[in-house]
């Protein structure tokens, strides 16, 4: 039996996979088991930030693997400590909790906001505002936080205490603050799964001001937008605000599972010993890889991410079959005349692996994708969109 058929028989039916089995790759090129070459414009949904089997990342991981792969959180390890230090120095935040995924990062942020509310405003201040069309994860609580009904229907009762505001409508946030005992607001500065929707500057600033005024914890979900993806280290840095909590995951690990909840001076002491934990959190191998990722995201590199993004936007804006392009840096959504799914399937047949987000084609290439691969991929995409 082929691996595809074994997978179909034995792996849970939770994914609608494309009919391709990837066997190996390098940088922004992936190779299928039957020997076909693909340009990777999705980087495993924004995870392989420096591409497949990047040497710097791989060596950092191997070096740590040769020392110790896991200790449990009963003990200290260097990569975990150093990574937390780097994340704080790059953001101005104070402390990091490590988990293994975006959902876990958000679970921690939700606990921080609720405990902050209980400690500072009263036990009933437990409501969290998120935005319609958001995506915050697949655990029952982060599913509740996700402002999309289609994710909720089958899994009631969900975790209580989430209400949903309209993106880019500060009045709708204010209304929910007035109607509920709110402890936290979670936003994605660019909604990823929701269709690559960029939040407006005035809205993000308005949320910050409202949180200051009402003593509410402002959480930015940077699981997808973080770690250089938008051309800044974190997407909130495009907005000139400081959040109280940052959650991030995906690209930080470079391909190994990691998630973190980063807290500022207001939130760093909210969780105490025993309030939260994770067996694998802060794993030294994942952390060593993450250090190698974050250390390369300097100003020059981030400028290059913006340039690559601008190249894509310039090529696709106004191209035949392209209605609009949204996003920031190398997180882009393309509204196509043809159904996005058809475009992505046909690109895949032509050796270019793209993603969708709602009704858009979504591009999340490796941050260091070489210009040759990028050019080739954009040519194919234009050709398929024009049909
Ligand atoms: C992917 C994603 C998550 C969930 O991350 P997992 O690692 O799949 O748990 C949460 N928030 C945002 C914005 C995401 O894009």
């Amino acid at each position: 039996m082929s691996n595809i058929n074994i997978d179909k028989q034995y792996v849970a039916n939770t994914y609608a996979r494309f009919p391709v089995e990837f066997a190996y790759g390098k940088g922004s090129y992936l190779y299928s088991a039957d020997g076909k070459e693909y340009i990777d414009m999705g980087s495993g949904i924004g995870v392989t930030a420096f591409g497949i089997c990047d040497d710097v990342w791989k060596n950092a991981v191997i070096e740590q693997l040769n020392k110790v792969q896991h200790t449990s959180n009963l003990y200290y390890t260097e990569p975990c400590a150093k990574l937390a230090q780097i994340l704080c120095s790059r953001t101005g935040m104070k402390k990091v909790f490590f988990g293994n995924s975006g959902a876990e990062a958000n679970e921690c942020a939700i606990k921080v906001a609720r405990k902050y509310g209980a400690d500072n405003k009263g036990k009933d201040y437990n409501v969290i505002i998120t935005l319609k069309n958001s995506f915050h994860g697949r655990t029952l609580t982060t599913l509740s936080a996700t402002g999309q009904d289609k994710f909720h229907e089958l899994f009631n009762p969900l975790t209580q205490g989430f209400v949903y505001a309209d993106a880019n409508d500060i009045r709708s946030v204010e209304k929910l603050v007035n109607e509920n005992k709110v402890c936290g607001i979670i936003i994605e500065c660019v909604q990823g799964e929701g269709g690559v929707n960029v939040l407006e500057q005035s809205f993000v600033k308005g949320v910050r001001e409202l949180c200051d005024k009402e003593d509410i914890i402002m959480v930015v979900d940077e699981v997808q937008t973080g770690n250089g993806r938008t051309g800044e280290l974190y997407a909130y840095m495009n907005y000139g605000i400081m959040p109280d909590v940052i959650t991030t995951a995906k690209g930080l690990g470079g391909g190994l599972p990691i998630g973190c909840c980063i807290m500022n001076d207001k939130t760093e002491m909210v969780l105490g010993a025993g309030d939260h934990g994770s067996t694998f959190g802060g794993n030294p191998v994942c952390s060593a890889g993450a250090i190698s990722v974050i250390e390369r995201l300097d100003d020059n590199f981030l400028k290059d991410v913006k340039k690559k993004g601008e190249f894509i936007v310039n090529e696709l804006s106004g191209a035949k079959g392209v209605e609009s392009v949204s996003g920031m840096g190398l997180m882009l959504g393309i509204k196509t005349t043809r159904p996005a799914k058809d475009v992505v399937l046909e690109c895949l047949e032509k050796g270019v692996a793209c993603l969708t987000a709602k009704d858009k084609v979504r591009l999340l290439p490796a941050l260091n994708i070489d210009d040759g691969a990028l050019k080739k991929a954009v040519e194919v995409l234009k050709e398929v969109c024009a049909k």
Side-chain angles (χ1 to χ4, degrees), residues 55-256:
D55 288 327
V56 176
W57 173 82
K58 197 171 65 179
N59 289 336
V61 167
I62 290 171
E63 200 182 310
Q64 183 57 41
L65 262 177
N66 281 322
K67 292 178 184 163
V68 55
Q69 82 275 31
H70 174 84
T71 60
S72 89
N73 280 308
L74 297 173
Y75 310 100
Y76 298 94
T77 62
E78 178 177 316
C80 175
K82 289 264 168 75
L83 177 59
Q85 183 184 37
I86 294 167
L87 287 167
C88 288
S89 79
R90 294 290 300 272
T91 57
M93 304 293 269
K94 298 294 182 204
K95 285 197 195 302
V96 183
F97 175 85
F98 289 109
N100 314 283
S101 67
E104 253 188 283
N106 285 332
E107 289 271 347
C108 180
I110 291 162
K111 286 175 85 167
V112 168
R114 288 211 166 143
K115 182 146 188 291
Y116 181 89
D119 288 348
N120 294 280
K121 302 175 80 179
K123 275 213 166 70
D124 46 349
Y125 276 79
N126 54 32
V127 174
I128 292 176
I129 299 175
T130 65
L131 299 183
K132 288 174 190 165
N133 224 14
S134 57
F135 183 82
H136 298 298
R138 299 285 197 165
T139 61
L140 279 167
T141 293
T142 56
L143 211 56
S144 303
T146 293
Q148 301 188 52
D149 289 341
K150 70 163 182 187
F151 288 109
H152 295 168
E153 282 154 10
L154 303 174
F155 301 105
N156 289 311
L158 296 178
T159 305
Q160 292 179 5
F162 290 92
V163 291
Y164 315 101
D166 293 311
N168 294 326
D169 179 358
I170 196 70
R171 290 271 140 72
S172 109
V173 184
E174 285 166 356
K175 187 164 177 279
L176 290 175
V177 168
N178 292 334
E179 289 169 354
N180 299 278
K181 293 190 168 165
V182 175
C183 63
I185 301 179
I186 310 178
I187 61 169
E188 298 158 88
C189 291
V190 185
Q191 292 186 331
E193 304 304 313
V196 197
N197 311 313
V198 180
L199 291 187
E200 287 163 12
Q201 184 89 27
S202 58
F203 177 74
V204 174
K205 284 220 155 116
V207 169
R208 178 67 271 178
E209 282 160 19
L210 189 59
C211 287
D212 286 337
K213 189 171 135 236
E214 303 283 344
D215 195 18
I216 291 168
I217 299 303
M218 179 178 183
V219 180
V220 289
D221 179 343
E222 298 263 6
V223 171
Q224 190 162 151
T225 54
N227 314 299
R229 180 53 56 190
T230 68
E232 292 288 339
L233 186 62
Y234 291 99
Y236 75 82
M237 294 172 175
N238 293 292
Y239 290 83
I241 57 117
M242 280 292 293
D244 300 309
V245 174
I246 305 164
T247 61
T248 194
K250 290 195 168 97
L252 179 61
L256 286 176

Side-chain angles (χ1 to χ4, degrees), residues 27-30 38-44 48 51-52 351-353 364-366 369:
S28 285
Y29 290 92
L30 277 165
Y38 293 81
I39 299 174
D40 181 11
M41 294 298 283
S43 59
T48 49
I52 308 297
V352 176
L364 299 172
I369 185 171

Side-chain angles (χ1 to χ4, degrees), residues 254-267:
L256 286 176
I258 191 167
C260 53
C261 176
I262 312 175
M263 294 158 280
N264 72 356
D265 46 5
K266 185 167 169 164
T267 52

